[in-house]
Amino acid sequence: MTEKFDPAPPDKHAQDPKRNIRRDKAKDDELQKGLKDSFPAPDPVSSTQASEATPD
């Protein structure tokens, strides 16, 4: 019994949390830049775009 039991081994298929934080920060920075560039406009900026794959 040389190995120590680990009840929750790391998930090899899980996404890297540091990568997700960087991605979220990049999206937030992009949104903040868009808000600064369109400040006097009455409509807020959207950081997402509609998908072309959605049928009507």
Side-chain angles (χ1 to χ4, degrees):
M1 193 126 168
T2 59
E3 288 186 38
K4 188 173 182 179
F5 176 69
D6 186 4
D11 185 3
K12 64 181 179 180
H13 300 292
Q15 293 181 355
D16 181 21
K18 291 180 183 179
R19 180 179 171 199
N20 290 342
I21 290 170
R22 285 191 304 267
R23 186 179 299 149
D24 288 344
K25 181 166 176 17
K27 284 183 182 180
D28 186 52
D29 290 345
E30 182 181 330
L31 179 61
Q32 290 300 325
K33 182 179 181 280
L35 287 172
K36 285 182 183 179
D37 290 345
S38 66
F39 174 67
D43 295 332
V45 175
S46 175
S47 64
T48 60
Q49 295 180 351
S51 173
E52 295 178 12
T54 56
D56 289 336

